[in-house]
Amino acid sequence: MAAVLKSRAVSADWWRGASIYQVYPRSFQDTTASGTGDLKGVTQRLGHIAFLGVDAIWLSPFFKSPMADMGYDVSDYCDVDPQFGSLDDFDQMMTHAHRLGLKVIIDQVISHTSDRHPWFVESRSSRTNPKADWYVWADPKPDGTPPNNWMSIFGGPAWEWDGVRKQYYMHNFLTSQPDLNFHNPQVQDALLETAKFWLDRGVDGFRLDTVNYYFHDRHLRDNPPHFPDDGATSADAPDVNPYGMQEHLYDKTRPENIGFLTRFRALLDRYPGRMSVGEVGDGARSLKTVADYTSGGDKLHMCYTFDLLGPDFTARHIRNCVSSFERDVKDGWVCWAFSNHDVMRHASRFAATQEERAHVARLAITLLSTLRGSICLYQGEELGLPEADLAFEDLQDPYGIRFWPAFKGRDGCRTPMPWEADQAFAGFTEAEKPWLPVPELHRALAVDVQERDPQSVLSHYRRALAFRRSRKELTQGTIEFLGESADVLAFVRRKGGRALLFVYNLTRQPQKFPLPGNMMPLPVAAAPGFSGTVVDHAVELEPLSAYCAAV
């Protein structure tokens, strides 16, 4: 692979329109033969990411942790877990990333900690210690049951009894992930200090995990039931999970969250060029929450939601999501993604057959790279990796273990990156066994195989991202949708006096899209993945295909 050196962007708004590559360090590259990836492995493979043509990397958690939830249960916010390496390894990784022109965004999992965090160890020791109010504690009801009906996403009540304090503590996720009490200003101060630690080390931004979960209702009111018109559970969780049977009015997305986000932004603004992106899981309210959290220029820089992380890859759904954002979010920003570490890989979600997967993978990045907003890619999607089908005995994800077999959890999208097809475990590790299996189907899609094929999914990703970078209409321009077809997605991206028309057929049948009467399309050189033609002033599209023209 040729060396890739890029000058670092100097604009404070570098994140606006940026392409971000999510690295799941456990599964990226193992350099210690431990079976799990590490920070030195990230450093070793940064050339692949830079050559892909993105602007930044987002690292999933690498902090000290008991790993009950794969690092999303932090026991020390200011140190690296030994399985990933050391602070020196992080610094070397970040230095190399910056040398390659890549910004570095790290996860901040601050809605909760591990139950082994020193803060919680002290908090649970008594009702009178200095950190007694740092977590959400509550007395039981007179009959000994939990204080309200709130539920954990990972199954069961969101309350766990503690025999020392003789109280319940709240946990939105595992019982070993107690929720911090953001109503306590000392908690906010301590968390801001941990963010400052990493800002002083030179990180370029933060991805804020479960950003709308920080505050809870002071009065601990019960959530009302969720009564959708179609009888389905909400989009907050898989339909096998009773969490979706509630309207989560009181256990998350509380109005007090705005105040903390302004404090977080004020800290970031002391460090030029730093940014924040929040993860919003809020069901049908998600875009309104994004609007609240990104408006005014004094809160988050941008958010992403789960709106495009479901199974719906249709013109109507994508148009509704993007146009709703454009309508509701007047001065904020969004980050769109089709895959991440929490959902089934989109090559499997969107493709009807195995034969379709590579084609759908190419079409998906073609579409994603032309949307208004920033975009986020998840490691392995540039190879068109499908979801891995794992046996129960191979599972590591507590969410999947809890709801097996109705829900298989998140391990299927977290299996190791395949680098070299002919190496043991596709070049991920020299251990006797990796932490998750490497499927044979993934081995055949390894990076070294696809780099030799100009028609591979990987080659197409590089071309699509290069096209996005080369056109200000795509990174900075407006978006205007044309028509309301359920089968064809059409929009114009415009910047200054230049405009590009995009038309997508996301169905399995040929489609026609009549052009507006005054539109005169002109071919666009070097537009990758576009093949439609114009006949009698209408764009004709084969199944699962796209058209691009200057207008």
Side-chain angles (χ1 to χ4, degrees):
M1 179 187 301
V4 180
L5 292 174
K6 299 186 291 183
S7 60
R8 296 185 67 194
V10 296
S11 169
D13 286 346
W14 62 266
W15 47 270
R16 196 181 292 272
S19 302
I20 302 167
Y21 183 96
Q22 182 191 355
V23 175
Y24 194 70
R26 292 179 69 89
S27 294
F28 205 57
Q29 178 67 64
D30 173 20
T31 64
T32 63
S34 65
T36 61
D38 47 62
L39 291 175
K40 286 185 177 179
V42 176
T43 303
Q44 179 181 320
R45 298 294 188 179
L46 282 173
H48 166 76
I49 302 173
F51 194 47
L52 190 61
V54 299
D55 302 290
I57 61 170
W58 148 30
L59 288 173
S60 288
F62 52 84
F63 314 105
K64 276 191 174 178
S65 166
M67 301 294 163
D69 188 24
M70 305 305 126
Y72 283 86
D73 49 322
V74 179
S75 59
D76 187 341
Y77 286 110
C78 298
D79 204 356
V80 173
D81 192 87
Q83 81 170 32
F84 294 121
S86 65
L87 281 169
D88 185 58
D89 293 331
F90 176 83
D91 291 341
Q92 291 183 38
M93 181 277 303
M94 190 166 59
T95 297
H96 189 47
H98 287 165
R99 188 179 300 123
L100 294 172
L102 295 168
K103 305 286 189 179
V104 178
I105 301 166
I106 64 172
D107 241 314
Q108 290 289 279
V109 190
I110 59 175
S111 70
H112 54 267
T113 70
S114 165
D115 61 356
R116 299 188 198 176
H117 196 293
W119 297 348
F120 187 71
V121 172
E122 182 175 354
S123 185
R124 79 188 310 178
S125 66
S126 72
R127 297 193 188 190
T128 58
N129 68 81
K131 291 186 172 58
D133 193 37
W134 278 42
Y135 291 81
V136 184
W137 294 96
D139 292 328
K141 291 180 179 178
D143 62 359
T145 56
N148 60 29
N149 70 345
W150 297 351
M151 304 194 72
S152 162
I153 289 181
F154 285 174
W159 298 96
E160 180 71 4
W161 177 254
D162 181 75
V164 174
R165 288 187 50 143
K166 296 183 176 61
Q167 286 182 306
Y168 284 95
Y169 67 84
M170 179 186 172
H171 60 93
N172 270 305
F173 300 93
L174 296 175
T175 58
S176 58
Q177 293 171 294
D179 272 62
L180 285 160
N181 178 19
F182 275 73
H183 291 289
N184 185 334
Q186 291 180 313
V187 171
Q188 296 187 31
D189 293 344
L191 291 170
L192 291 173
E193 280 299 311
T194 67
K196 185 177 184 300
F197 174 86
W198 294 103
L199 289 167
D200 289 339
R201 273 196 121 75
V203 300
D204 300 290
F206 298 108
R207 180 262 188 187
L208 297 176
D209 184 67
T210 57
V211 72
N212 57 311
Y213 284 70
Y214 294 167
F215 280 83
H216 66 286
D217 175 47
R218 285 183 182 272
H219 306 292
L220 303 183
R221 287 172 284 187
D222 280 351
N223 283 325
H226 175 68
F227 290 125
D229 293 337
D230 58 5
T233 56
S234 77
D236 285 322
D239 61 7
V240 304
N241 187 347
Y243 183 87
M245 298 172 71
Q246 292 184 359
E247 291 288 348
H248 293 274
L249 299 183
Y250 299 115
D251 53 349
K252 64 182 182 182
T253 322
R254 301 301 299 157
E256 299 94 331
N257 209 27
I258 298 294
F260 175 73
L261 296 182
T262 60
R263 293 194 68 193
F264 198 91
R265 177 60 175 268
L267 172 63
L268 285 179
D269 286 347
R270 290 160 49 189
Y271 296 80
R274 314 303 173 90
M275 58 76 72
S276 56
V277 52
E279 176 200 30
V280 174
D282 206 18
R285 299 179 297 174
S286 61
L287 288 174
K288 180 186 183 305
T289 304
V290 170
D292 292 342
Y293 287 7
T294 61
S295 65
D298 62 347
K299 295 176 279 293
L300 298 179
H301 293 81
M302 60 181 174
C303 289
Y304 79 90
T305 74
F306 284 75
D307 291 80
L308 298 186
L309 294 172
D312 199 340
F313 188 56
T314 63
R316 174 177 285 130
H317 176 68
I318 294 172
R319 183 189 305 109
N320 286 347
C321 289
V322 179
S323 61
S324 294
F325 169 81
E326 294 293 323
R327 181 187 66 244
D328 296 340
V329 185
K330 301 302 182 185
D331 59 346
W333 198 251
V334 72
C335 185
W336 299 113
F338 285 141
S339 281
N340 69 14
H341 65 292
D342 281 333
V343 299
M344 178 186 292
R345 288 187 174 276
H346 69 259
S348 292
R349 295 202 320 272
F350 296 161
T353 65
Q354 181 173 332
E355 292 72 26
E356 251 186 23
R357 285 175 185 161
H359 193 68
V360 166
R362 292 187 191 92
L363 182 62
I365 186 57
T366 302
L367 171 56
L368 188 68
S369 65
T370 58
L371 292 180
R372 181 175 183 265
S374 301
I375 63 173
C376 192
L377 318 176
Y378 177 54
Q379 67 180 50
E381 73 167 78
E382 75 274 23
L383 307 177
L385 295 186
E387 185 81 353
D389 188 13
L390 303 180
F392 178 77
E393 53 269 24
D394 289 325
L395 295 189
Q396 303 291 326
D397 180 17
Y399 197 3
I401 292 170
R402 171 66 176 81
F403 285 100
W404 179 277
F407 173 63
K408 297 183 178 181
R410 303 164 295 179
D411 286 328
C413 69
R414 297 177 175 183
T415 54
M417 271 286 286
W419 297 103
E420 292 108 20
D422 295 334
Q423 297 297 312
F425 307 117
F428 166 69
T429 183
E430 294 180 357
E432 292 184 4
K433 183 181 180 182
W435 80 284
L436 283 175
V438 178
E440 284 303 307
L441 183 57
H442 288 195
R443 179 191 296 275
L445 299 173
V447 172
D448 66 338
V449 173
Q450 297 206 33
E451 284 187 327
R452 297 191 294 266
D453 180 4
Q455 301 307 314
S456 68
V457 173
L458 175 59
S459 296
H460 179 71
Y461 260 72
R462 290 171 175 167
R463 289 190 293 267
L465 292 171
F467 181 64
R468 177 179 173 86
R469 286 197 316 274
S470 71
R471 307 292 300 219
K472 290 185 177 180
E473 301 98 308
L474 300 182
T475 57
Q476 302 175 23
T478 60
I479 189 168
E480 175 191 354
F481 287 95
L482 304 177
E484 298 181 356
S485 168
D487 300 321
V488 175
L489 181 69
F491 54 84
V492 173
R493 299 296 314 278
R494 194 181 308 275
K495 173 68 175 176
R498 301 174 65 180
L500 293 172
L501 166 69
F502 297 98
V503 186
Y504 294 92
N505 176 13
L506 304 182
T507 74
R508 274 69 181 175
Q509 295 84 35
Q511 300 289 344
K512 284 188 177 182
F513 175 73
L515 292 168
N518 60 345
M519 186 170 285
M520 299 296 293
L522 297 172
V524 177
F530 298 99
S531 59
T533 57
V534 175
V535 178
D536 296 332
H537 212 63
V539 178
E540 294 189 353
L541 293 161
E542 294 298 312
L544 296 172
S545 68
Y547 173 79
C548 171
V551 293

